[in-house]
Amino acid sequence: AYSYLGFKLGSFDTSKQINVYNSSSKMNNQKLRQAIAYGMDIETVTEVIYQGLHKRANSLIPPVFSFYDASLRGYSYDAKEAKALLDEAGYIDIDGDGFREDPQM
């Protein structure tokens, strides 16, 4: 299986047959996207669900291919880094309910 997480940063213009970038898209915030990547504990999922038979890739090229570049850093689970990036992006818990609010709201 091959899984990936993608982010919608615009829309497809069917009349022009092109992707149209939306600079005000919520997911346009790089720190938010990085926080999501650091917040995904793929290693635990691999151990518990896949019983170690799953291998995390660090790019769109899966590790089963000979031209896979294992030297790429990728993102490993780091809750502290994810929280710090969310703080930098302006996603903070304003009302103390345990959930971070969207800075655009």
Side-chain angles (χ1 to χ4, degrees):
Y2 184 87
S3 301
Y4 74 96
L5 179 62
F7 300 101
K8 184 172 181 176
L9 302 176
S11 60
F12 186 72
D13 184 330
T14 55
S15 63
K16 295 180 183 176
Q17 295 293 300
I18 60 170
N19 287 316
V20 179
Y21 177 69
N22 178 0
S23 62
S24 63
S25 169
K26 179 187 297 190
M27 298 314 296
N28 186 33
N29 186 320
Q30 181 179 1
K31 292 189 184 305
L32 175 59
R33 295 191 313 266
Q34 289 173 322
I36 292 169
Y38 280 118
M40 296 188 314
D41 191 356
I42 303 299
E43 287 72 27
T44 298
V45 171
T46 295
E47 186 64 32
V48 174
I49 305 295
Y50 295 104
Q51 301 173 356
L53 297 175
H54 179 273
K55 183 159 176 141
R56 182 180 189 142
N58 54 18
S59 73
L60 292 175
I61 309 294
V64 298
F65 291 107
S66 61
F67 50 90
Y68 173 74
D69 186 355
S71 70
L72 295 174
R73 185 172 162 257
Y75 292 90
S76 295
Y77 178 67
D78 187 338
K80 286 178 78 174
E81 181 66 17
K83 289 175 184 177
L85 285 163
L86 286 172
D87 289 343
E88 289 177 38
Y91 288 85
I92 56 175
D93 182 7
I94 296 171
D95 56 13
D97 65 355
F99 295 97
R100 293 171 181 261
E101 277 70 45
D102 185 334
Q104 303 299 321
M105 297 282 182

